[in-house]
Amino acid sequence: MRYLAGTPQVRNWVSTNHHFLASYVGFIGLFQGMNPNCRAALQHVEFEADTWVNAFNVTLQVAKSCRQFAECYGISARDLFFAMRDTMRRLHYAARLMAEENSSPIIRSGQMHGYLPQTITNPVNSGGDMTDAPQLVFEMHVLPTLWGSQYEIVKYDVASCPISFHHPLHWFMAELFQHVQHLTDKRARDFGFASVRDMVFSTFDTRLDRALEASAAAEGSSALPLYAASAADIAAAQPELLRILDYPVRVCVVMAQIRAGLWVRNGYVIRLQSHHYREVSLRENTYDQDVVMIQFFLSIWPDTDHILMTLVDRFGLYDWFSGRPHASRIYEPFHIQYMVEEFLNLLIVIVSERHVATGKNALDLARREIVHGCLSPISYSELSKKVPERLAENTEFDNLLQKMADYRGPTGIMDFGQYELKDEFLDEVDPYFIHYARNQREEVEEVLRERLAKRKRKNGNMSDTPEYVPPKLEEIRFGPFQRIGMVL
């Protein structure tokens, strides 16, 4: 599929035949929310099942296919808008089914009616008996802010309800968002929408799809009537879009809770799942896409504080930010400190991670991986393990490496040659790089300060003042992500 999707003729054929899209989203929807986990709060997991291995093996291939299939929609803005709206509706349908949240009740009901064999037990990875698990229903609740506003957001507790790492429909949707060259208000107006926001908030009005189809013949016509979502339309769509967004937010929260030690009773298996989700072979198509989803909704939402309140609530930090640090019924004091740090780090990543927002190509991404992988001396084989396969196989990767890093040959028979980033590229290093873990970030900050100080002394500056290295923010010149910084 990788080679087929790389052919322009195949891409055009796939993007213009909408039945391919319906078949594909139906296929990946089969894996949406599979293998959910539920936190063991009272007792340790007695037996650690290995079903998660099969789930991640499937995800490895499905996630790659999401990128390859989404690349077909970079040719035409009209086909991209169709794909976005259809996928959004499929996401809405999957969210309304609540299969991830209610795996145990669904299995139990199927067994009672004879649809499923009695041998299927405990579909949720949990530390307790799920046979009597209640069926969850979708709820919203209203949270007030310190400045007098109120926001209605999804009500869900990550620490007590089922959570899955596997959301291929969201990953595919996020891949579609990366065609930023088409996601401009000007292009939206060419097809009958006042803006990209209006196109997204009108997703559930299928009548506009027919108008979108008809607009193909009138593309670029100034006489084309424009649809602008009213305040009532936006208010009606917000709960459904928040429901869709909640799933990638939950994944970010559960990984933070796992690192904070809140899921320790689930055993080593849950830590392995969190680790593999951000591993080099998966992260570009999974975790990175979760961040892109949050960025996109933050950028198009009328009031970014609405999304920010969703993040605060899902992290379980509403009381802490409201001046009640000891009111949490889930977190111990040492959990609170860690979760606040994780929340702030995620917020920094959301605002500063702009490789999608600025429309970078594969060569730019390879350059970025070299910058952040070669800060300390590293062998070629070790660097290759830290770089996604599709970037390491880029024909220009080795040329970039030779240009940006100094090579030090081996000094002995058992030694290895090593590459180290040249001083002129130190200013491109971002200590808040999305793929740095917490420990790596601290190490990078220390190494970067030492190298910057060494460079200053080499240039004749003998000042001992330590360098402060802020997150790097690239200017976003076009596309839907231009308002990403408004959350701050």
Side-chain angles (χ1 to χ4, degrees):
M1 183 174 177
R2 175 182 176 184
Y3 296 104
L4 285 174
T7 307
Q9 293 86 346
V10 173
R11 289 184 178 184
N12 185 61
W13 180 52
V14 169
S15 62
T16 54
N17 288 274
H18 298 154
H19 64 277
F20 286 132
L21 176 67
S23 299
Y24 182 73
V25 296
F27 168 68
I28 63 176
L30 296 173
F31 309 102
Q32 184 81 0
M34 66 176 173
N35 194 49
N37 301 276
C38 195
R39 174 173 165 262
L42 301 177
Q43 60 184 6
H44 287 271
V45 173
E46 185 176 353
F47 174 73
E48 296 184 11
D50 60 357
T51 54
W52 71 273
V53 178
N54 298 324
F56 270 84
N57 284 336
V58 171
T59 283
L60 180 63
Q61 303 305 324
V62 171
K64 286 181 181 178
S65 76
C66 290
R67 174 180 293 278
Q68 293 154 2
F69 198 82
E71 286 176 350
C72 296
Y73 292 90
I75 300 173
S76 163
R78 184 181 68 90
D79 294 329
L80 176 62
F81 291 167
F82 263 117
M84 288 175 60
R85 290 168 65 84
D86 283 351
T87 307
M88 195 78 77
R89 284 193 286 266
R90 185 63 180 82
L91 273 168
H92 181 239
Y93 173 74
R96 293 189 65 177
L97 284 179
M98 296 189 70
E100 174 182 327
E101 295 87 340
N102 291 309
S103 293
S104 293
I106 290 172
I107 293 290
R108 189 166 67 249
S109 175
Q111 291 172 333
M112 289 173 59
H113 291 87
Y115 305 137
L116 295 172
Q118 297 294 326
T119 53
I120 300 178
T121 57
N122 198 14
V124 179
N125 300 318
S126 168
D129 183 11
M130 297 296 292
T131 55
D132 296 324
Q135 183 166 349
L136 298 177
V137 296
F138 175 69
E139 293 182 84
M140 302 282 287
H141 65 151
V142 176
L143 290 181
T145 64
L146 295 177
W147 53 92
S149 302
Q150 287 188 334
Y151 295 101
E152 187 179 25
I153 59 178
V154 176
K155 184 178 181 181
Y156 201 81
D157 183 10
V158 174
S160 62
C161 298
I163 302 292
S164 171
F165 284 96
H166 310 279
H167 302 111
L169 286 171
H170 287 85
W171 304 332
F172 177 63
M173 188 80 232
E175 293 285 2
L176 293 176
F177 293 156
Q178 300 191 30
H179 297 298
V180 292
Q181 72 276 15
H182 295 310
L183 295 177
T184 62
D185 290 345
K186 180 181 183 302
R187 295 299 287 153
R189 287 192 291 271
D190 289 340
F191 296 100
F193 298 98
S195 66
V196 173
R197 175 191 293 169
D198 294 305
M199 188 270 293
V200 173
F201 275 89
S202 65
T203 292
F204 308 113
D205 187 350
T206 55
R207 295 171 300 176
L208 293 174
D209 287 351
R210 292 190 290 272
L212 182 62
E213 187 74 53
S215 69
E219 182 180 348
S221 171
S222 58
L224 195 65
L226 298 181
Y227 169 82
S230 65
D233 294 335
I234 291 176
Q238 280 183 344
E240 308 306 326
L241 293 176
L242 284 175
R243 194 172 185 175
I244 291 171
L245 176 64
D246 208 55
Y247 290 90
V249 174
R250 293 176 196 175
V251 175
C252 294
V253 174
V254 75
M255 288 193 295
Q257 290 184 349
I258 291 169
R259 288 193 291 270
L262 209 68
W263 288 62
V264 68
R265 291 187 176 91
N266 288 71
Y268 195 56
V269 164
I270 195 68
R271 296 188 67 87
L272 287 174
Q273 292 183 59
S274 178
H275 168 75
H276 281 283
Y277 194 77
R278 294 191 65 172
E279 191 202 12
V280 63
S281 61
L282 272 175
R283 68 191 184 196
E284 193 180 26
N285 302 318
T286 53
Y287 174 69
D288 289 11
Q289 306 312 318
D290 293 335
V291 172
V292 170
M293 282 288 289
I294 299 172
Q295 287 178 323
F296 183 82
F297 278 87
L298 265 173
S299 300
I300 67 165
W301 212 260
D303 185 355
T304 55
D305 286 346
H306 198 167
I307 305 297
L308 185 60
M309 285 295 292
T310 295
L311 292 171
V312 170
D313 182 58
R314 205 60 65 245
F315 268 83
L317 298 174
Y318 177 75
D319 288 324
W320 192 89
F321 280 106
S322 298
R324 300 186 296 273
H326 305 295
S328 176
R329 60 179 180 81
I330 300 171
Y331 300 141
E332 298 293 335
F334 63 92
H335 289 145
I336 285 282
Q337 180 179 352
Y338 201 100
M339 291 302 295
V340 170
E341 183 178 342
E342 288 289 327
F343 170 77
L344 295 177
N345 281 331
L346 176 62
L347 203 57
I348 292 173
V349 166
I350 288 172
V351 174
S352 62
E353 181 59 30
R354 300 187 173 190
H355 75 279
V356 170
T358 52
K360 291 189 180 298
N361 57 31
L363 193 61
D364 295 325
L365 297 181
R367 176 190 179 95
R368 189 179 68 150
E369 293 289 345
I370 291 172
V371 165
H372 293 91
C374 293
L375 183 60
S376 298
I378 188 172
S379 65
Y380 185 87
S381 58
E382 287 298 316
L383 177 63
S384 299
K385 294 177 184 177
K386 293 183 176 183
V387 178
E389 182 181 0
R390 74 181 186 96
L391 300 181
E393 292 179 353
N394 190 298
T395 54
E396 290 297 317
F397 181 81
D398 289 345
N399 293 334
L400 266 179
L401 183 60
Q402 295 291 338
K403 175 185 175 183
M404 301 178 65
D406 292 317
Y407 177 72
R408 299 176 184 173
T411 56
I413 298 177
M414 303 301 293
D415 202 2
F416 296 95
Q418 293 184 319
Y419 289 91
E420 186 175 28
L421 189 68
K422 294 180 179 179
D423 286 348
E424 56 260 39
F425 299 106
L426 288 177
D427 293 330
E428 297 183 30
V429 178
D430 185 357
Y432 292 93
F433 180 48
I434 186 174
H435 297 149
Y436 282 153
R438 183 188 184 193
N439 293 339
Q440 288 177 305
R441 189 177 300 117
E442 294 172 354
E443 293 172 6
V444 165
E445 286 182 345
E446 183 177 348
V447 172
L448 186 57
R449 285 195 185 99
E450 290 177 359
R451 292 201 58 183
L452 288 173
K454 189 176 180 180
R455 187 178 69 176
K456 283 169 60 177
R457 289 194 296 270
K458 187 186 296 185
N459 295 334
N461 188 342
M462 305 307 293
S463 172
D464 292 331
T465 305
E467 292 256 3
Y468 167 67
V469 186
K472 303 293 189 296
L473 297 178
E474 295 187 59
E475 183 181 358
I476 304 173
R477 300 182 182 275
F478 60 90
F481 295 94
Q482 288 180 296
R483 295 180 65 249
I484 187 65
M486 297 298 291
V487 69
L488 302 179

